Amino acid sequence: MPSTKGSEKIKKTPQLLRGMKDIMPEDQQWWDFIRMRVDNVARAYGFGRLDTPLLEDAALFTRSVGKETDIVEKEMYTFEDKNGSLVSLRPEGTAGVVRAYIEHGMLNRPQPVKMYYLGQFFRYDRPQAGRYRQFYQFGFEVVGEQNPVIDAQVMMLAFNFYAEINLPVTLQVNSVGCGECHDEYRKVLVDYYRSRKNSLCEDCKRRLQKNPLRLLDCKQEDCQVLAQDAPQTVDHLCEECNEHFVKVLEHLDELEIPYVLNSRLVRGLDYYTRTVFEIWPEPYDPPKIEEPEETDDKKDRHKKSGNKKEEEIEISVEPTPIEEPKNKMPSQNALGGGGRYDDLVETMGGQPTPAIGFSGGIERLITELRLRNLPIGDIEKPEVFVAQLGDSARKKALKLFEDLRQAGFKVAESFSKDGLKPQMELADKIGVKFAVIIGQKEIMDGTILIRDMESGIQETVDFKKVIPEVQKRLEKYGVKAKVIDPRKTVI
Ligand code: AMP
């Protein structure tokens, strides 16, 4: 007889893996909004979309991100496939973009090649607020240009991306120099830390031997205190790197982009050279709600109702963001970051090709937007409902639905419903501004009814003019005019 323990195990309902999450239908609007903004920015700045696979040769990341980095050492999902090849789920986007650049001979295209991406990434990290094991990033990469003006342009793009959705952010900038500067800086840094070794965390003691730059962005408190007084990368740049950085800052000044010079910013990946930057959200200060003076009578009522007031002003946010003191490196809540990676293409086997990129996390961005109640607009909310009564009206409505959709309206319908009442109830629930209604009488007269859902007023209009008539009415509600192909008339 099989043991009950075994069968219980089999029956256990599978659950989400730790650090993973479902994106529910009601939350999709946030994701749609960000996808739309990313696409818009990409189009405006001339970036073409590149989709690389989620699974790549593990060596791609060990060679690019770096063997001694946290990402490769501790966080990569790496396994052998059925063929015995060592493969990894991508932990970041730049390595795949560079592989594709080399593999598709993009060096032969007009330079620089500007590409962007948006999708899932995987890091086996300790799950906590703002940190998942599967998360989404979008990123912009400019490959094949070393002029510092491009550094400033990519930072401007990143900064404006957030500013234009009304999220207050700061741009943190530093330069880590080239390989030559690294060698010189590494020596000075190791000297500084050697006498302070006992105060370092175990990870940093190890990093001191292998990758001392990493000590600067360690999240342990004692290490952060030491990092405050550590030698700064910018004081150890070679002449060319220094000149490059000065020009980058001049361009930023010219563009009037506010930035903070952050000497401890080194980023967690090995491939960065010269300019590095991050976008940090400004600490959120919830608006103070002015309470009117309470009359004795009101005070009494609050007491009786168990004082619901506090509940009412609570803002529900998910997940809870981490509070960081202003003078510290925010350990988990940078919204995004990037920098130059001038040696990476060559390291990966291509021709020497300078490049720069930026990537932003989507989960953290959504948390910030929700926390601040920032409007994202009803980008998918239907504006018009097509209602019909009777078989021949349904046929006409089916075609009208397509015509309205092609004219650029967001349209809803319920062709399977027969009565007008359930259709109007649904239109109301969806929250459309107008319903267009067609029945037997309208077919005979060549007309259609347009019903204002708020006032309930119905007007009869010529069926052929339904599109401009709907457009005219929607404009009154501030819905922008659609570009309508004049050849498309409803028949
Ligand atoms: P990085 O590639 O580490 O520079 O990350 C760029 C951005 O991606 C970060 O600023 C975060 O917004 C986001 N990000 C990185 N790791 C995670 C994670 N484990 N969970 C959620 N978002 C992440």
Side-chain angles (χ1 to χ4, degrees):
M1 207 177 149
S3 80
T4 21
K5 233 181 168 185
S7 56
E8 262 171 27
K9 228 179 187 176
I10 292 163
K11 275 187 193 158
K12 201 178 154 205
T13 316
Q15 291 185 333
L16 261 178
L17 292 174
R18 261 192 99 207
M20 308 275 173
K21 71 172 201 164
D22 297 315
I23 306 171
M24 302 301 284
E26 59 274 23
D27 293 328
Q28 293 291 342
Q29 55 179 323
W30 302 93
W31 298 81
D32 289 344
F33 172 71
I34 291 166
R35 274 183 216 119
M36 178 193 75
R37 299 299 305 200
V38 170
D39 286 341
N40 285 353
V41 167
R43 221 169 293 130
Y45 286 88
F47 285 75
R49 177 150 176 155
L50 172 71
D51 289 319
T52 62
L54 304 193
L55 202 60
E56 298 261 14
D57 186 340
L60 172 67
F61 304 108
T62 25
R63 272 175 74 179
S64 56
V65 176
K67 257 194 234 139
E68 318 290 349
T69 56
D70 279 357
I71 293 181
V72 169
E73 236 177 17
K74 304 183 195 162
E75 297 169 5
M76 267 215 305
Y77 280 87
T78 300
F79 53 92
E80 275 186 18
D81 68 7
K82 291 193 195 301
N83 196 28
S85 308
L86 205 58
V87 293
S88 296
L89 285 171
R90 60 181 189 181
E92 62 92 58
T94 305
V97 171
V98 168
R99 180 200 45 69
Y101 178 88
I102 300 169
E103 208 161 335
H104 297 280
M106 291 197 218
L107 185 64
N108 300 319
R109 299 185 184 185
Q111 304 292 299
V113 181
K114 294 171 161 186
M115 291 169 276
Y116 80 104
Y117 57 82
L118 190 153
Q120 292 96 325
F121 294 87
F122 304 84
R123 292 183 195 172
Y124 194 83
D125 205 350
R126 194 165 65 82
Q128 52 194 293
R131 220 149 247 268
Y132 299 94
R133 288 184 175 166
Q134 177 185 299
F135 57 97
Y136 283 72
Q137 275 187 349
F138 58 89
F140 297 88
E141 311 282 353
V142 183
V143 188
E145 180 56 68
Q146 66 172 358
N147 196 309
V149 74
I150 300 295
D151 305 36
Q153 199 190 26
V154 170
M155 285 190 263
M156 181 181 69
L157 176 158
F159 183 82
N160 284 346
F161 176 83
Y162 297 99
E164 281 167 17
I165 50 180
N166 297 320
L167 195 60
V169 292
T170 61
L171 169 65
Q172 308 276 323
V173 193
N174 193 22
S175 173
V176 292
C178 61
E180 226 174 84
C181 315
H182 285 178
D183 291 343
E184 143 90 11
Y185 179 65
R186 204 171 286 133
K187 278 187 215 142
V188 192
L189 201 61
V190 172
D191 276 352
Y192 168 82
Y193 277 111
R194 199 173 284 131
S195 56
R196 298 164 175 86
K197 200 171 165 183
N198 288 343
S199 313
L200 292 172
C201 72
E202 287 312 307
D203 270 348
C204 279
K205 280 182 187 148
R206 216 170 23 83
R207 287 178 187 135
L208 190 57
Q209 309 289 328
K210 296 181 172 174
N211 196 353
L213 231 69
R214 296 265 60 77
L215 272 79
L216 293 176
D217 68 356
C218 175
K219 311 296 183 271
Q220 300 294 327
E221 207 168 335
D222 284 351
C223 301
Q224 287 204 351
V225 173
L226 285 184
Q228 298 267 16
D229 296 324
Q232 305 192 352
T233 52
V234 282
D235 293 331
H236 299 274
L237 298 179
C238 68
E239 214 178 305
E240 278 173 32
C241 287
N242 192 48
E243 207 174 293
H244 183 95
F245 194 44
V246 169
K247 283 199 180 135
V248 170
L249 299 182
E250 278 171 10
H251 285 305
L252 286 180
D253 289 336
E254 222 159 281
L255 289 165
E256 293 180 8
I257 298 174
Y259 60 87
V260 176
L261 274 179
N262 182 340
S263 61
R264 281 183 294 143
L265 192 71
V266 286
R267 313 268 303 126
L269 304 95
D270 274 2
Y271 52 64
Y272 285 114
T273 51
R274 295 193 167 175
T275 314
V276 288
F277 64 97
E278 276 186 355
I279 300 281
W280 294 1
E282 288 277 358
Y284 178 60
D285 206 2
K288 307 234 171 350
I289 296 177
E290 295 247 333
E291 290 185 31
E293 286 254 316
E294 289 192 1
T295 58
D296 287 347
D297 174 43
K298 262 192 182 170
K299 274 183 203 158
D300 237 32
R301 260 185 281 145
H302 279 143
K303 262 184 222 154
K304 276 181 206 148
S305 65
N307 202 350
K308 274 249 162 37
K309 247 190 157 195
E310 277 180 17
E311 278 170 40
E312 281 160 18
I313 56 170
E314 240 175 47
I315 297 167
S316 105
V317 183
E318 187 231 13
T320 317
I322 302 164
E323 285 282 331
E324 297 276 352
K326 228 183 166 177
N327 59 342
K328 274 186 152 189
M329 286 282 277
S331 50
Q332 312 292 355
N333 60 357
L335 288 169
R340 274 208 164 268
Y341 47 95
D342 289 345
D343 301 334
L344 186 57
V345 180
E346 195 180 1
T347 312
M348 303 300 292
Q351 299 293 318
T353 310
I356 183 164
F358 166 78
S359 69
I362 298 187
E363 285 81 359
R364 280 184 215 173
L365 174 53
I366 291 177
T367 303
E368 288 294 329
L369 293 174
R370 295 182 97 147
L371 176 69
R372 292 159 206 262
N373 264 325
L374 288 176
I376 55 167
D378 288 325
I379 56 169
E380 282 313 322
K381 194 168 161 186
E383 298 149 345
V384 193
F385 189 96
V386 178
Q388 36 68 40
L389 267 177
D391 276 350
S392 30
R394 184 179 286 127
K395 274 187 207 140
K396 219 150 182 195
L398 202 65
K399 171 81 170 61
L400 176 59
F401 176 89
E402 279 309 311
D403 287 334
L404 284 165
R405 202 183 56 75
Q406 280 179 30
F409 298 109
K410 290 169 200 134
V411 200
E413 49 74 29
S414 182
F415 293 141
S416 58
K417 286 194 169 63
D418 285 327
L420 191 58
K421 198 167 168 243
Q423 291 184 68
M424 286 304 100
E425 280 170 359
L426 182 64
D428 224 17
K429 212 165 156 187
I430 296 172
V432 291
K433 299 274 182 246
F434 295 96
V436 288
I437 306 166
I438 183 159
Q440 208 51 42
K441 181 175 180 303
E442 285 72 29
I443 292 184
M444 306 276 282
D445 299 349
T447 58
I448 189 162
L449 291 173
I450 301 184
R451 179 188 173 97
D452 183 321
M453 294 302 291
E454 207 173 289
S455 64
I457 294 171
Q458 293 188 166
E459 286 173 86
T460 304
V461 300
D462 182 348
F463 186 77
K464 288 198 176 95
K465 293 192 180 140
V466 62
I467 289 180
E469 289 290 339
V470 168
Q471 181 180 14
K472 201 166 74 190
R473 286 166 177 77
L474 276 172
E475 272 173 17
K476 282 193 205 142
Y477 279 96
V479 177
K480 270 202 188 136
K482 304 286 182 315
V483 182
I484 293 176
D485 185 344
R487 288 163 301 176
K488 261 180 210 136
T489 41
V490 183
I491 311 151

